[in-house]
Amino acid sequence: MTVIKIQNLNITNKKILIRADLNVPMNGTKITSKARIKAAFKTIKYALQKRAKVYVMSHLGRPKINDNKEKYSLFPIFKYIQKKITKHKVYFIKQYSEILNIKSGELAILENVRFNKGELENDTVLSKKYAELCDIFVMDAFGTAHRKQASTYGVSCFSYIACAGFLLQSEIKYLEKVLIKPKKPMIAILGGSKISTKFNVLNAICKIADTVIVGGGIANTFLAIDNNVGKSLHEPKFIIKAKKLQEKYNIITPIDSRVGVKFKKTEQAIIKNINDIQDNEEIMDFGDKTLKIIEPIIKKAQTILWNGPVGVFEFPNFSIGTKFIAQKIANSDSLSIAGGGDTIAVIDKYKIKKNISYISTGGGAFLKFIEGNKMPGIKILKERFKNI
């Protein structure tokens, strides 16, 4: 991995600025999922144990100029971190321009970077001000590494030293295992509502995977090539592109599905062959015949890349396919890598986290990395490594 690593630096008594990804889902001031915070702890705690002066910055949500800032404040996240890191003093800083001088082995959480003018625009002045806060900048926010912003890219350009934290190192390590000479056979399971938002990643995955299993609205667009899909979610504009992919690669689509007439939680599921779907019916899950075809494919796989549910898993009668696939992946001995918000929700729902080899913290970043796009937040770290 051609980046400077935090563990290879002497950080004792140094001012360390960590760009973490603390962008967690909130219900008012209540944190509804702490997964990203917990993922950030390894780098934060390491820096504290090494007696560094640790400053952490992150964004939260997408606040606009006239929005209530309290709604997007990192203060509730600071309070949670303060409860979990009890051996060290933890402070909250509202204004980065009024930085608090903390002691070695202490931690300060900065307010939402998206409150700062010029953050989204990767403003040079702001980037330099961030860089002036520290001796060493640590990029550890994989979830925003695909964005060229002041707190991810700009600060990396101007800081004295820019390195990667443990989380970012793990993300790169595991995702490169998929993209660079993966163990074969490799399969990919790609679900989700729209093929338009995932077409580029689907195209990239097809080039490296032996088999690609598609579900959800993505599968429906493939099915619409030769079948009536009723009122199922699909994208007619992408049917021709889907057909070209299917002719070129090994893409598995459902041969039967669980369908309903109304899109509601209590709707009863009827299993139908794909060529029997009526105009008033909606495909919402895989059928049993399809699951029988998929089972041995998952069992034989040595590498599994998983992004997205294959049905409306929030509805009990249409969660069968997603649950089946999730459990088969969990029981597999393969290297399994999962990513995306809905995928993590599935993993949490069926309590299989310990059985997945690696769960990426990135949503859009996860997909961009797989697409093969050069991510600004990682690219700049590699450039800084070359110039040592």
Side-chain angles (χ1 to χ4, degrees):
M1 189 186 302
T2 53
V3 295
I4 303 169
K5 301 176 184 178
I6 187 173
Q7 63 269 34
N8 293 338
L9 298 171
N10 177 12
I11 64 173
T12 303
N13 298 323
K14 299 286 198 312
K15 287 192 287 186
I16 306 297
L17 178 61
I18 301 172
R19 178 44 162 109
D21 184 6
L22 307 179
N23 182 35
V24 294
M26 305 284 292
N27 183 5
T29 58
K30 184 180 179 182
I31 302 166
T32 56
S33 172
K34 303 175 181 71
R36 282 182 172 171
I37 303 175
K38 291 176 180 177
F41 275 160
K42 184 174 181 180
T43 299
I44 294 170
K45 289 181 177 180
Y46 173 83
L48 290 171
Q49 288 164 4
K50 291 293 182 179
R51 303 290 297 166
K53 302 169 186 177
V54 187
Y55 298 88
V56 175
M57 61 179 177
S58 175
H59 77 286
L60 179 64
R62 298 180 179 179
K64 296 178 181 177
I65 294 173
N66 297 323
D67 284 342
N68 178 6
K69 287 192 174 181
E70 188 177 343
K71 178 183 176 183
Y72 295 98
S73 175
L74 281 172
F75 189 75
I77 290 141
F78 151 71
K79 295 299 289 184
Y80 173 76
I81 293 173
Q82 194 177 45
K83 287 180 182 178
K84 292 297 177 180
I85 299 180
T86 56
K87 294 181 180 179
H88 305 268
K89 286 188 177 181
V90 185
Y91 305 93
F92 185 68
I93 299 175
K94 289 185 178 181
Q95 293 287 344
Y96 77 93
S97 56
E98 299 172 3
I99 203 74
L100 177 71
N101 289 317
I102 60 176
K103 296 177 182 179
S104 297
E106 294 184 342
L107 169 66
I109 309 297
L110 278 63
E111 183 57 285
N112 194 337
V113 292
R114 290 190 177 171
F115 291 171
N116 302 330
K117 186 178 179 180
E119 166 63 22
L120 298 180
E121 297 80 13
N122 187 38
D123 180 72
T124 299
V125 174
L126 180 61
S127 299
K128 287 181 177 179
K129 286 180 178 178
Y130 285 152
E132 288 170 1
L133 300 177
C134 64
D135 301 308
I136 298 169
F137 171 68
V138 183
M139 178 59 178
D140 210 31
F142 177 76
T144 56
H146 62 308
R147 303 189 187 282
K148 201 170 186 178
Q149 297 173 351
S151 68
T152 57
Y153 179 85
V155 63
S156 297
C157 296
F158 299 109
S159 57
Y160 182 66
I161 297 173
C163 69
F166 293 111
L167 177 60
L168 187 66
Q169 290 175 43
S170 293
E171 294 277 5
I172 296 171
K173 174 186 172 183
Y174 278 96
L175 290 175
E176 283 185 345
K177 281 186 177 182
V178 171
L179 300 178
I180 304 170
K181 295 182 180 179
K183 288 186 177 181
K184 299 284 190 172
M186 173 190 168
I187 71 166
I189 299 162
L190 192 65
S193 58
K194 294 184 177 182
I195 193 172
S196 57
T197 59
K198 293 186 178 180
F199 186 81
N200 290 338
V201 72
L202 175 61
N203 191 32
I205 286 173
C206 283
K207 293 175 182 177
I208 57 174
D210 299 289
T211 303
V212 178
I213 299 165
V214 291
I218 295 174
N220 296 341
T221 301
F222 279 94
L223 294 174
I225 295 169
D226 297 311
N227 301 280
N228 174 29
V229 294
K231 57 180 183 179
S232 306
L233 178 64
H234 70 293
E235 294 178 274
K237 290 182 180 179
F238 276 80
I239 289 175
I240 294 174
K241 288 185 177 181
K243 185 177 181 180
K244 288 180 179 179
L245 278 183
Q246 195 171 45
E247 289 171 350
K248 192 174 181 180
Y249 300 107
N250 184 26
I251 299 173
I252 303 293
T253 58
I255 61 170
D256 66 337
S257 295
R258 286 178 166 80
V259 305
V261 176
K262 295 181 180 179
F263 189 84
K264 61 179 184 178
K265 196 170 185 178
T266 56
E267 181 71 356
Q268 293 299 308
I270 303 169
I271 299 180
K272 282 196 163 187
N273 290 331
I274 289 305
N275 54 10
D276 292 331
I277 308 299
Q278 301 300 306
D279 290 342
N280 67 330
E281 293 174 333
E282 185 171 0
I283 298 169
M284 291 193 277
D285 193 15
F286 283 176
D288 292 342
K289 292 178 185 176
T290 301
L291 296 179
K292 284 183 180 179
I293 291 172
I294 291 171
E295 184 175 9
I297 296 172
I298 295 175
K299 191 173 183 179
K300 292 176 183 177
Q302 290 297 305
T303 305
I304 300 174
L305 181 67
W306 175 27
N307 175 255
V310 298
V312 188
F313 76 100
E314 300 92 343
F315 295 175
N317 296 328
F318 299 97
S319 65
I320 309 301
T322 299
K323 182 179 181 180
F324 180 91
I325 287 172
Q327 290 177 336
K328 293 302 174 184
I329 294 172
N331 293 333
S332 170
D333 293 327
S334 67
L335 172 70
S336 54
I337 298 174
D342 286 341
T343 317
I344 293 171
V346 172
I347 290 168
D348 289 342
K349 182 175 181 178
Y350 300 121
K351 296 178 174 60
I352 58 170
K353 184 177 180 180
K354 291 181 180 179
N355 301 102
I356 305 298
S357 305
Y358 190 77
I359 301 170
S360 174
T361 57
F366 174 78
L367 297 178
K368 289 293 182 184
F369 195 99
I370 294 167
E371 279 180 35
N373 284 2
K374 291 183 178 179
M375 300 172 72
I378 297 174
K379 183 182 177 184
I380 185 61
L381 292 183
K382 291 183 176 181
E383 288 175 3
R384 293 296 305 267
F385 179 83
K386 289 178 183 177
N387 295 326
I388 294 176

